[in-house]
Amino acid sequence: MLIDGTLEGAEGTLAVRVRDISEGGALIETTDTPKTGDKVRLSCRGHDLAGKVLWQRGAWAGIRFERPLQNATWNEFAAMGLRVGAPRNYRPDLIPEDEEPIEVSRRTIRIRRTASGR
């Protein structure tokens, strides 16, 4: 299940689809992706979540929330049937801010590993 929402940032407001959500961020899909580093506000299903665009590639972007989701919000998203979690090997704490961590193709989203191999 996908959740429709909006993403408000410096460039204006974009229609987005939330494809994945975790305690600390979200994967969105949109026709006009925001720029990496932009401060944004993701609004969906009555929730306004402030964050920053961590990466973007094609129609996909990763948003890191300013604050982790509260338990009640987390449970509400989980009850909607949205896949709650991140790719199995996703470790944002291991990705340097100046490195593009994500490779996106039509069939896969791959998290690049750091030099340490993690």
Side-chain angles (χ1 to χ4, degrees):
M1 176 166 141
L2 305 175
I3 297 176
D4 291 325
T6 59
L7 190 72
E8 185 179 336
E11 305 288 322
T13 302
L14 306 170
V16 299
R17 284 204 166 147
V18 179
R19 305 282 257 151
D20 182 32
I21 197 162
S22 68
E23 181 181 347
L27 172 65
I28 63 162
E29 180 180 14
T30 183
T31 57
D32 189 18
T33 53
K35 293 180 178 85
T36 300
D38 281 358
K39 290 191 176 207
V40 294
R41 180 166 300 281
L42 175 62
S43 299
C44 58
R45 298 284 175 110
H47 297 282
D48 288 321
L49 307 165
K52 179 179 176 182
V53 179
L54 185 61
W55 60 270
Q56 70 85 17
R57 176 75 52 98
W60 303 82
I63 309 299
R64 178 181 288 167
F65 299 141
E66 285 181 1
R67 290 178 288 171
L69 295 180
Q70 300 297 316
N71 284 341
T73 303
W74 178 264
N75 292 337
E76 187 177 330
F77 280 121
M80 289 178 204
L82 184 67
R83 185 173 64 110
V84 178
R88 187 176 335 150
N89 297 324
Y90 183 61
R91 294 277 314 271
D93 57 309
L94 298 177
I95 301 170
E97 287 284 333
D98 62 345
E99 181 180 321
E100 282 195 40
I102 308 297
E103 297 174 32
V104 179
S105 72
R106 296 183 87 175
R107 294 184 179 198
T108 187
I109 299 174
R110 181 176 302 152
I111 309 300
R112 226 184 299 137
R113 297 188 186 276
T114 64
S116 68
R118 292 193 229 167

